[in-house]
Amino acid sequence: MKVFNYALALLGAGFGLMAQAAQSPADPALISKGEYLTRAADCVACHMTPGGKPFVGGLEFKLPFGTLYSPNITPDKDTGIGNWTDDEFVSALQKGVGKDGKHYYPAFPYTSYTMMPREDILAIKAYLFSLEPISQKPPENDLSFPFNQRWGMFFWNAVFADNERFVPDSKQSAEWNRGAYLVQGPGHCGECHTPRNIFQAMSSGKSLAGGELGNWRAYNISSDAKHGIGAWPQEALVSYLSQGYAPGYGGAGGPMADAVEHSLRFLTPADVNAIAVYLKSTPARSEGIARPTVAINDQSDKGLGHKVFTDSCVACHRLDGTGNQSPIATLVGLKTVNDPAGTNLMATLLEGHTQGTRRVDQRMPDFARAYNDAELAAVSTFVLRRFGQSNGEVKAEDVAKGRASSLH
């Protein structure tokens, strides 16, 4: 009997140690690595609503076949991922199949995250599980038939999802391979900067050639000198990635501005430089908006558009296209002013640039309430024709359409 009681005591002690181990916090170094990778993967951008709490989800994604809402990825056990095992979490990021065999839609970029090894994915899980659990259930998805049948993603994955990890190229430098991993894997740059086919998969043969994101256009970031970033000096590309602007080359707006604010600016200088090195080596894609030559058209219309510009824009953007208070406000040389449709220009006027990390003189308010559709169309056309070479024109109905989309 004594032996039996002693055995029970040992067994109880063993279970106690196991429970203690299960409740003990993860290795601080692992959590730190996971935090860095979570930023590199820009998880918060999709799993937070404007003004909401990080990682609780609920962000709306409007797709051609309905609306999706991002899930809660805090460690809450009822509405988040608190009950997920390591294998389930890894499967979600590498295969797009999560807990209980639930298939995800490719709005969740598992087609890029699949490049990440198990150890990096589990570092992200360790970080997320170190956060405060928040109970918040996102709205239900609203998808039309047959797209609301998740099991159908099995066939989509079989055709479009590779489920392969990143393999370094032995012919390239360690820096190049690091950049390739960050761009193709956690950074998932192609998910926005690659056009989609009719099945909403990234178009093969057009990697990084540019894509559409609601009211915004993600520009070509391949090595093409005219349409991509091939002609950008290394330091200009590094500045754009880490700070959101490179005077005379590009200024981040919309989703790209969010990527800089929530993700890219937190990367080490070595990693940002590696991304730039890799991007400048990618296959050139000669399509999309071309960067204009630095020139001013003094013959541009001096009507309503000119009046709106001189009334509200010259305080930051001079008539010669340079920034008045900050180089961030430079207009000449930007693709934004050379898009004949004025896509990003209109979106900027309607939504503004108000990142909290910027100084007051580097933020642009929205003008959606200050001006009507005709006025915004006129000033957009003025900017396109004065600072670009596309002879673009924006009409009032174009602004009205963008205004309606920006409200959702």
Side-chain angles (χ1 to χ4, degrees), residues 312-313 316-317 345-355 360-371 376:
S312 296
C313 306
C316 296
H317 311 281
L345 178 58
M346 279 193 297
T348 301
L349 289 170
L350 290 169
E351 300 179 22
H353 283 176
T354 57
Q355 296 93 325
V360 173
D361 65 335
Q362 296 176 342
R363 303 177 193 174
M364 178 173 169
D366 71 81
F367 290 91
R369 292 177 293 275
Y371 290 100
L376 291 180

Side-chain angles (χ1 to χ4, degrees), residues 58 122 128 132 170 174 193 223 257 263 285 294 313 325 351 398 402:
L122 290 183
L128 292 176
E132 175 188 0
S170 60
H193 290 276
S223 66
S263 175
R285 310 297 185 190
V294 178
C313 306
Q325 302 177 40
E351 300 179 22
D398 299 325

Side-chain angles (χ1 to χ4, degrees), residues 151-352:
W151 58 265
M153 291 306 302
F154 171 85
F155 301 99
W156 191 95
N157 287 339
V159 177
F160 299 113
D162 292 332
N163 188 21
E164 295 178 353
R165 264 33 88 210
F166 176 77
V167 177
D169 186 342
S170 60
K171 297 179 181 179
Q172 300 288 349
S173 67
E175 180 180 51
W176 184 95
N177 276 297
R178 177 63 174 172
Y181 171 67
L182 290 169
V183 168
Q184 297 175 25
H188 61 279
C189 303
E191 301 285 346
C192 293
H193 290 276
T194 298
R196 302 267 173 178
N197 61 27
I198 60 173
F199 300 104
Q200 293 302 300
M202 290 184 284
S203 297
S204 60
K206 294 186 178 182
S207 59
L208 306 181
E212 300 288 340
L213 295 168
N215 275 357
W216 295 88
R217 182 190 297 272
Y219 293 132
N220 182 330
I221 56 170
S222 75
S223 66
D224 186 81
K226 183 177 181 180
H227 298 87
I229 47 81
W232 289 39
Q234 181 79 3
E235 60 272 18
L237 188 50
V238 167
S239 175
Y240 179 83
L241 292 170
S242 59
Q243 301 182 66
Y245 69 95
Y249 292 93
M256 187 62 200
D258 290 340
V260 172
E261 182 171 9
H262 297 302
S263 175
L264 290 167
R265 71 185 180 94
F266 292 100
L267 301 188
T268 64
D271 276 352
V272 175
N273 200 68
I275 290 173
V277 166
Y278 172 72
L279 288 176
K280 288 176 70 67
S281 77
T282 56
R285 310 297 185 190
S286 300
E287 53 189 279
I289 307 302
R291 178 172 174 260
T293 57
V294 178
I296 300 297
N297 177 15
D298 287 324
Q299 304 304 312
S300 54
D301 180 45
K302 298 299 191 296
L304 178 60
H306 179 271
K307 181 181 185 303
V308 174
F309 190 89
T310 54
D311 286 348
S312 296
C313 306
V314 291
C316 296
H317 311 281
R318 295 177 179 176
L319 280 166
D320 64 0
T322 60
N324 192 31
Q325 302 177 40
S326 167
I328 291 180
T330 299
L331 294 175
V332 290
L334 305 183
K335 289 184 178 181
T336 301
V337 302
N338 209 43
D339 176 3
T343 304
N344 288 1
L345 178 58
M346 279 193 297
T348 301
L349 289 170
L350 290 169
E351 300 179 22

Side-chain angles (χ1 to χ4, degrees), residues 7-221:
L8 285 178
L10 285 177
L11 187 59
F15 281 126
L17 289 172
M18 290 171 60
Q20 183 178 1
Q23 296 172 4
S24 63
D27 177 11
L30 182 64
I31 292 176
S32 179
K33 175 184 177 181
E35 180 179 14
Y36 185 83
L37 288 169
T38 299
R39 291 194 186 280
D42 202 12
C43 301
V44 74
C46 291
H47 293 276
M48 181 176 72
T49 57
K53 295 181 179 180
F55 305 114
V56 298
L59 187 67
E60 181 184 40
F61 292 86
K62 282 193 170 294
L63 304 173
F65 43 83
T67 302
L68 293 173
Y69 295 91
S70 60
N72 181 339
I73 57 171
T74 74
D76 181 69
K77 293 188 175 182
D78 294 322
T79 63
I81 59 171
N83 288 320
W84 284 48
T85 66
D86 287 355
D87 287 344
E88 289 168 340
F89 192 78
V90 171
S91 176
L93 271 70
Q94 289 183 345
K95 303 177 183 179
V97 182
K99 190 173 180 61
D100 300 324
K102 181 179 180 180
H103 282 267
Y104 289 98
Y105 296 98
F108 171 50
Y110 62 86
T111 48
S112 293
Y113 290 160
T114 188
M115 304 291 281
M116 300 173 67
R118 181 182 178 88
E119 56 267 28
D120 281 3
I121 292 174
L122 290 183
I124 290 176
K125 180 175 180 284
Y127 169 67
L128 292 176
F129 271 60
S130 75
L131 302 176
E132 175 188 0
I134 300 176
S135 178
Q136 181 172 310
K137 187 177 180 179
E140 293 292 332
N141 294 332
D142 182 16
L143 301 175
S144 59
F145 183 84
F147 303 103
N148 59 351
Q149 304 299 305
R150 287 183 178 269
W151 58 265
M153 291 306 302
F154 171 85
F155 301 99
W156 191 95
N157 287 339
V159 177
F160 299 113
D162 292 332
N163 188 21
E164 295 178 353
R165 264 33 88 210
F166 176 77
V167 177
D169 186 342
S170 60
K171 297 179 181 179
Q172 300 288 349
S173 67
E175 180 180 51
W176 184 95
N177 276 297
R178 177 63 174 172
Y181 171 67
L182 290 169
V183 168
Q184 297 175 25
H188 61 279
C189 303
E191 301 285 346
C192 293
H193 290 276
T194 298
R196 302 267 173 178
N197 61 27
I198 60 173
F199 300 104
Q200 293 302 300
M202 290 184 284
S203 297
S204 60
K206 294 186 178 182
S207 59
L208 306 181
E212 300 288 340
L213 295 168
N215 275 357
W216 295 88
R217 182 190 297 272
Y219 293 132
N220 182 330
I221 56 170

